[in-house]
Amino acid sequence: MDIQYLLFLQDFRNGIDNALTPFMEWVSLFGITYIMLLPVFVYWCLDKRKGLLIFSALKISHTLNSIVKLTACVYRPWIRDARIIPAGDAIRTATGYSFPSGHTMMATPIYGGLALCSQKKYIKLFWILAILVTGFSRNYLGVHTPQDVLVGLLLGTISIYIANWVLNYIENSDKKFFAVMLICALAGALTLVYVTYKNYPMDYVDGKLLVDPVKMTRDAWGDAGGFIAFALMWCIEKKYIKFSSTGFNLKGILINLIGMLPLIWMIGNLEDITTDIFGSHHGRLAYQFIFYFYIMVIWPLVIKILTGNKNNKNKV
């Protein structure tokens, strides 16, 4: 049934001469790249606590994705059925295992977190639609089955509620906060050990390995390693920076738009640099540490200096 659905979408794509393919490719690409600018803007400018909720949900979701994906080891649709031909350039980025959808598990905590934090119903609806369109784009492009997307949506949603519970639990208690951050760092480290040393299928077709475990564990080092980096940088910010979001005003918007410029460069270039220096796995880990150090320590310190905020109105 899942393959038939993908074939139906494939026939539709071909029937309209791939008119929607560029849009679906853009939705998918944005869902794993510049989408990160959204929670950063919330964290720096609008509401620190809401930003932390989204980041927490995202890192939980990333780690769950690595564990489930590298445990299930489900092959991509075109490996299961040669009739599936992914659209456009989607196959280039859709490497590795299929289940669950990583794009969906990144979009759900970010867009879903924004929906949860929004007050107006039409804004909530917009973010929910963004999740659904992102998930559907993976089916439309032929790189994920419906169950890949649905389970990704479920796990992403669970991540939001876990993150919300954790934030409520640690609020106003430094002892609970640092204990939870230690647990998060250990969970990330144990995930790295698990995905690095477990056994993987080594299936070949025409002398070519279907899925390279090295590539998959490299991705996991970025995802689970990011969980460790996030927990550590949150501890540093809470103990030494203690900044407040600028607020949605002209000065705050300008400060944070300037702060976004290095982030945009990092998203497009930094990982290639760290990989060249430290290697494929440790390079991904180094990227995450630099990325979250900038988001949670460097620019919050700049915000604190430029705004002079002393009273942390949205302390977590």
Side-chain angles (χ1 to χ4, degrees), residues 158-175:
I158 290 172
S159 298
I160 296 173
Y161 284 96
I162 292 174
N164 192 48
W165 180 86
V166 168
L167 258 69
N168 288 332
Y169 175 75
I170 66 176
E171 199 159 27
N172 301 319
S173 173
D174 287 354
K175 184 177 180 180

Side-chain angles (χ1 to χ4, degrees), residues 123-186:
I123 297 178
K124 290 180 180 289
L125 179 61
F126 173 82
W127 293 124
I128 292 171
L129 288 175
I131 298 172
L132 298 178
V133 172
T134 301
F136 176 71
S137 74
R138 307 308 287 159
N139 294 152
Y140 186 87
L141 295 171
V143 294
H144 277 292
T145 62
Q147 54 265 39
D148 295 342
V149 170
L150 289 174
V151 172
L153 176 62
L154 175 63
L155 292 176
T157 302
I158 290 172
S159 298
I160 296 173
Y161 284 96
I162 292 174
N164 192 48
W165 180 86
V166 168
L167 258 69
N168 288 332
Y169 175 75
I170 66 176
E171 199 159 27
N172 301 319
S173 173
D174 287 354
K175 184 177 180 180
K176 290 180 179 179
F177 169 80
F178 287 109
V180 169
M181 290 305 104
L182 177 61
I183 291 171
C184 290
L186 288 174

Side-chain angles (χ1 to χ4, degrees), residues 21-257:
T21 296
F23 171 72
M24 293 298 181
E25 287 184 301
W26 178 85
V27 168
S28 284
L29 179 62
F30 184 80
I32 58 169
T33 52
Y34 298 105
I35 191 176
M36 284 298 299
L37 299 177
L38 297 177
V40 171
F41 188 77
V42 173
Y43 180 63
W44 287 348
C45 186
L46 301 180
D47 190 301
K48 181 180 180 181
R49 189 188 190 283
K50 290 178 180 178
L52 287 169
L53 169 63
I54 299 170
F55 277 126
S56 300
L58 177 63
K59 302 325 294 179
I60 293 169
S61 185
H62 270 161
T63 305
L64 284 176
N65 181 259
S66 292
I67 294 171
V68 175
K69 183 167 285 189
L70 299 189
T71 299
C73 297
V74 175
Y75 289 133
R76 292 281 179 172
W78 63 87
I79 296 177
R80 294 172 49 201
D81 193 314
R83 293 176 296 170
I84 301 295
I85 302 173
D89 195 39
I91 194 171
R92 183 181 62 82
T93 56
T95 56
Y97 300 116
S98 185
F99 176 87
S101 166
H103 285 68
T104 306
M105 288 192 69
M106 187 163 184
T108 301
I110 293 181
Y111 294 144
L114 289 169
L116 188 65
C117 296
S118 301
Q119 301 298 319
K120 304 208 178 272
K121 290 184 178 179
Y122 68 89
I123 297 178
K124 290 180 180 289
L125 179 61
F126 173 82
W127 293 124
I128 292 171
L129 288 175
I131 298 172
L132 298 178
V133 172
T134 301
F136 176 71
S137 74
R138 307 308 287 159
N139 294 152
Y140 186 87
L141 295 171
V143 294
H144 277 292
T145 62
Q147 54 265 39
D148 295 342
V149 170
L150 289 174
V151 172
L153 176 62
L154 175 63
L155 292 176
T157 302
I158 290 172
S159 298
I160 296 173
Y161 284 96
I162 292 174
N164 192 48
W165 180 86
V166 168
L167 258 69
N168 288 332
Y169 175 75
I170 66 176
E171 199 159 27
N172 301 319
S173 173
D174 287 354
K175 184 177 180 180
K176 290 180 179 179
F177 169 80
F178 287 109
V180 169
M181 290 305 104
L182 177 61
I183 291 171
C184 290
L186 288 174
L190 289 173
T191 300
L192 292 183
V193 172
Y194 170 68
V195 301
T196 300
Y197 293 105
K198 75 174 291 289
N199 292 323
Y200 293 93
M202 301 295 286
D203 299 321
Y204 289 82
V205 172
D206 298 328
K208 183 178 180 181
L209 185 63
L210 289 177
V211 174
D212 185 358
V214 173
K215 165 66 171 62
M216 293 307 302
T217 56
R218 171 186 175 273
D219 291 345
W221 270 70
D223 291 342
F227 200 18
I228 302 172
F230 170 71
L232 177 60
M233 300 312 161
W234 191 353
C235 289
I236 294 173
E237 191 285 323
K238 183 175 180 66
K239 186 170 180 63
Y240 298 107
I241 310 299
K242 302 176 182 178
F243 90 109
S244 296
S245 302
T246 62
F248 194 67
N249 51 66
L250 181 59
K251 181 178 180 180
I253 292 171
L254 289 175
I255 289 172
N256 294 311
L257 287 179

